[in-house]
Amino acid sequence: MSSINVIPPQSGAAFKISKGDVLTVIDPLGKQVSDMVLFNNADKKEKISSGKTMDFEETILLSKGNFLWSNRSQKMMEIIEDTNGRNDFLLAPCSPETFKIMYNNPSYHPSCLENLNKNLLQFHIDLDEIPTAFNIFMNVQFDKEGKLKVLPPTSKQGDLIRFKAEMDLIVGLTACSAEDSNGGVFKPIHFIVTTSKSVAKDIINFNQQ
Amino acid sequence: MSSINVIPPQSGAAFKISKGDVLTVIDPLGKQVSDMVLFNNADKKEKISSGKTMDFEETILLSKGNFLWSNRSQKMMEIIEDTNGRNDFLLAPCSPETFKIMYNNPSYHPSCLENLNKNLLQFHIDLDEIPTAFNIFMNVQFDKEGKLKVLPPTSKQGDLIRFKAEMDLIVGLTACSAEDSNGGVFKPIHFIVTTSKSVAKDIINFNQQ
């Protein structure tokens, strides 16, 4: 069994995975959002694109069977399992300015953008290169007029989403830091990387736990 | 009166405007989309952000009174007039791959991404630096499940949208090249830049024409 990696509350991680690997992102306690960004490991100017993904997949909400696309119109990941089913690309990762402008909080506050930045620096990816993230387990509601409202996630303890890598990737992943997005309580996010050689066996093991 | 600039069908333009200037984008014949991207002229790593704009404005559809925000959480433009009222950030600019993948057309086809790229090169902005564009006059419909459908624009002959620049900007602007987005007919886009000193007078003149 591949090991479970823990992202503590209000923090992040960055790591490499190879084409064919499976990344499982787990909400261990429920109602916790995780922001994910992707870069092509062979050329970091190729990165996950909200606009290209919504364009090619023809949907705002993304779940099992959908692909995540790059700014160069290449498939980066396929969603191969999704037990919760609410993920989108609408809102940017929370940043220091989110809390100043939207929460009217002038003090320091941890944020997904800072946590992505801190962790992606080891791969020489700068703050300005971080794109709009894929919002895993995030419950952004929209009405007919397009008005947006962030509600607590619908994800329950142990809900997971599983991605198959379509190219060698650098992944940035967070346990989100924004009060409104996480039902007011900050929890960890777990993730597992299963290498392509052991995918079949490990998925069986994981499901049997 | 400031001069009217013409973007011929299936082409683009790029130009600088200063803080306080007003940019008017006009659909002279109706049912024509225009894609717009923005860069901070003082530092091109700061650019228009779909995620930050939808986040701070709390809406998918953007019209009069909304601001367009950068990846650094700064206001880049304010929409000060909008006679049509349907503009969004959902889908990326059409690219060569759009026509191959979504239109199943393997031949060369003009595209907004290519037209933005060609015109932004003069400002040393490369292809990979072009973000998801602001889709002016674009009629992207979404249902409750988030499924997306592109319909012909609702814009009529002479409809316009007017932006006030909140910083010195490099603007990329197109007359969109995708069949489905423009009711199957490719038309020009007109634009006018009114410098801050003459804004009041020129807007009065324009409205009286």
Side-chain angles (χ1 to χ4, degrees), chain A:
Chain A
M1 179 63 196
S2 305
S3 60
I4 294 182
N5 302 278
V6 176
I7 304 179
Q10 297 190 296
S11 72
F15 50 91
K16 292 187 181 187
I17 63 174
S18 301
K19 182 175 175 174
D21 289 354
V22 169
L23 169 66
T24 304
V25 179
I26 305 155
D27 181 355
L29 301 177
K31 297 195 192 307
Q32 176 60 44
V33 167
S34 175
D35 274 13
M36 182 173 75
V37 291
L38 304 173
F39 299 84
N40 177 350
N41 186 46
D43 184 347
K44 288 169 285 185
K45 286 188 169 182
E46 180 165 16
K47 60 182 84 166
I48 195 167
S49 166
S50 57
K52 278 295 178 196
T53 299
M54 285 194 270
D55 210 340
F56 289 132
E57 299 299 317
E58 299 180 293
T59 179
I60 291 173
L61 300 174
L62 296 137
S63 188
K64 185 177 173 178
N66 289 125
F67 290 88
L68 305 182
W69 293 76
S70 78
N71 56 331
R72 293 186 190 161
S73 298
Q74 302 293 322
K75 292 174 180 172
M76 301 191 96
M77 278 181 162
E78 181 185 358
I79 304 176
I80 58 172
E81 191 175 348
D82 179 13
T83 64
N84 175 51
R86 188 116 198 156
N87 321 282
D88 70 62
F89 264 114
L90 291 169
L91 307 182
C94 62
S95 66
E97 298 82 8
T98 306
F99 300 99
K100 290 188 178 71
I101 297 171
M102 301 195 75
Y103 287 75
N104 200 21
N105 173 4
S107 311
Y108 172 77
H109 193 294
S111 67
C112 282
L113 190 62
E114 189 190 47
N115 286 324
L116 290 169
N117 182 31
K118 269 198 268 188
N119 285 282
L120 288 166
L121 280 178
Q122 65 185 298
F123 301 116
H124 310 288
I125 294 168
D126 291 333
L127 183 64
D128 285 324
E129 297 170 63
I130 298 172
T132 295
F134 185 55
N135 301 314
I136 300 170
F137 308 131
M138 191 163 180
N139 187 5
V140 183
Q141 293 289 330
F142 45 89
D143 66 17
K144 271 202 299 199
E145 283 71 44
K147 299 295 173 212
L148 297 170
K149 202 162 56 176
V150 178
L151 297 185
T154 55
S155 52
K156 294 180 182 58
Q157 187 178 345
D159 266 333
L160 61 83
I161 183 165
R162 220 185 283 279
F163 306 91
K164 186 164 166 234
E166 296 279 324
M167 60 172 73
D168 293 352
L169 293 168
I170 297 166
V171 180
L173 198 65
T174 71
C176 174
S177 297
E179 279 76 359
D180 288 355
S181 305
N182 301 290
V185 184
F186 304 114
K187 293 133 286 178
I189 284 289
H190 293 177
F191 71 92
I192 300 169
V193 178
T194 315
T195 58
S196 54
K197 284 181 188 163
S198 58
V199 162
K201 196 181 69 187
D202 276 8
I203 288 185
I204 291 164
N205 287 343
F206 186 83
N207 285 337
Q208 286 175 343
Q209 278 197 324

Side-chain angles (χ1 to χ4, degrees), chain B residues 60-74:
Chain B
I60 292 173
L61 300 174
L62 295 137
S63 188
K64 184 176 173 178
N66 289 124
F67 290 88
L68 305 181
W69 293 76
S70 77
N71 57 331
R72 293 185 190 162
S73 299
Q74 302 293 322

Side-chain angles (χ1 to χ4, degrees), chain B residues 58-120:
Chain B
E58 299 180 293
T59 178
I60 292 173
L61 300 174
L62 295 137
S63 188
K64 184 176 173 178
N66 289 124
F67 290 88
L68 305 181
W69 293 76
S70 77
N71 57 331
R72 293 185 190 162
S73 299
Q74 302 293 322
K75 292 174 179 173
M76 301 190 96
M77 279 181 161
E78 181 184 358
I79 304 175
I80 58 172
E81 191 175 348
D82 180 13
T83 65
N84 176 52
R86 188 116 197 155
N87 321 281
D88 71 62
F89 264 114
L90 291 170
L91 307 181
C94 62
S95 65
E97 298 82 9
T98 307
F99 300 98
K100 290 187 179 70
I101 296 171
M102 301 194 76
Y103 287 75
N104 201 19
N105 173 4
S107 311
Y108 172 77
H109 194 294
S111 66
C112 282
L113 190 62
E114 190 190 47
N115 287 323
L116 290 169
N117 183 30
K118 268 198 270 192
N119 286 281
L120 287 166

Side-chain angles (χ1 to χ4, degrees), chain B residues 57 82 142 175:
Chain B
E57 298 299 318
D82 180 13
F142 45 88

